Amino acid sequence: MFRCPSCREPLRSLEISADTSCRECQFTIPAIEGVPLLVKDLRVIERTIEKAKRASRDDWFQAPQINQWSGPYRHHVLKRKLYVEGVLSTYISRCKGDVIGLDLGCGDGANIEWLSQHFTALYASDYNLVRLRRARHRHGAEMVYMADILDYPAIDNTFSVIYFNHVLEHIPNDSRALAEVYRILKPGGRVVLGVPNEGAMFWQLAYRFQPSTGATTDHVHFYTAGSLRKKCEESGFTVLQVVPIGWGLPHWSLDAAVRGVKFIDDLLDRIGRVVAPSQATSLYLILSK
Ligand SMILES: [Zn+2]
């Protein structure tokens, strides 16, 4: 299921460890603190991170991710989780045999534990070693490893479900990333693709009201439901669902201040759904191949 990051031939061993080496080209998988590095050249990854750091907030690549289960968006994040769990349960109940999941761009691993409960085995990867060091201490993943989303170290048709949550908007070459996701997804499998709906007027306004947020954001793409659907279809996917989740106020600080109150988060949700359905906070697309 994995392939050599160097010559791209399948690795025969299913167990990837620090001393696994490719029989074709003798490339040996290095590991740092127990995290296998399934990348051809660590320096390329490091340079990518350095470049991104210079362009935006240094902290974003190092500081622990905000605990989303206790932060101001906890009610919103719970709505997203309930939706994703519904999608996973429905799909997996119809699957025969093993269901292999991938948490693609797992960050600090905040979603590994609950995700893993749905799968026969869950794999989790990221390109940021600082985050992987944290993610590997979470329970539930079969393996936590470094991988390049633009040249993924898995053979074609490997994963039944790919959870690709709030990652795509960070990747400059998003079309290439989607092409790789398409390649490694099993035919008939599912991609749960979540992004912020920041191309929508509300959130463009929020950036206009607080230009400092725009100057420091690490997002490089600002999608709408329409633009993202088109991009996914161009990558070959069948788009099964486009679901907006959560509504708020188009001002970042104000929005964060009020949505920590469950009543307000629920109320904005109910009003937004009717009055401004296209202006939701988040978009979830369910993709198949
Ligand atoms: Zn090789």
Side-chain angles (χ1 to χ4, degrees), residues 4-9 11 22-27:
C4 171
S6 184
C7 74
R8 297 178 176 165
E9 286 298 313
L11 291 169
C22 172
R23 291 196 199 178
E24 299 296 327
C25 73
Q26 273 69 55
F27 178 83

Side-chain angles (χ1 to χ4, degrees), residues 179-196:
E180 277 297 85
V181 172
Y182 186 85
R183 183 182 67 75
I184 63 177
L185 182 71
K186 277 186 181 162
R190 293 288 184 272
V191 177
V192 178
L193 173 61
V195 297

Side-chain angles (χ1 to χ4, degrees), residues 182-225:
Y182 186 85
R183 183 182 67 75
I184 63 177
L185 182 71
K186 277 186 181 162
R190 293 288 184 272
V191 177
V192 178
L193 173 61
V195 297
N197 186 25
E198 289 181 349
M201 183 189 66
F202 259 45
W203 309 106
Q204 287 294 304
L205 265 180
Y207 276 123
R208 195 115 14 119
F209 289 146
Q210 284 177 291
S212 58
T213 311
T216 54
T217 183
D218 51 333
H219 296 172
V220 293
H221 297 290
F222 301 85
Y223 301 112
T224 62

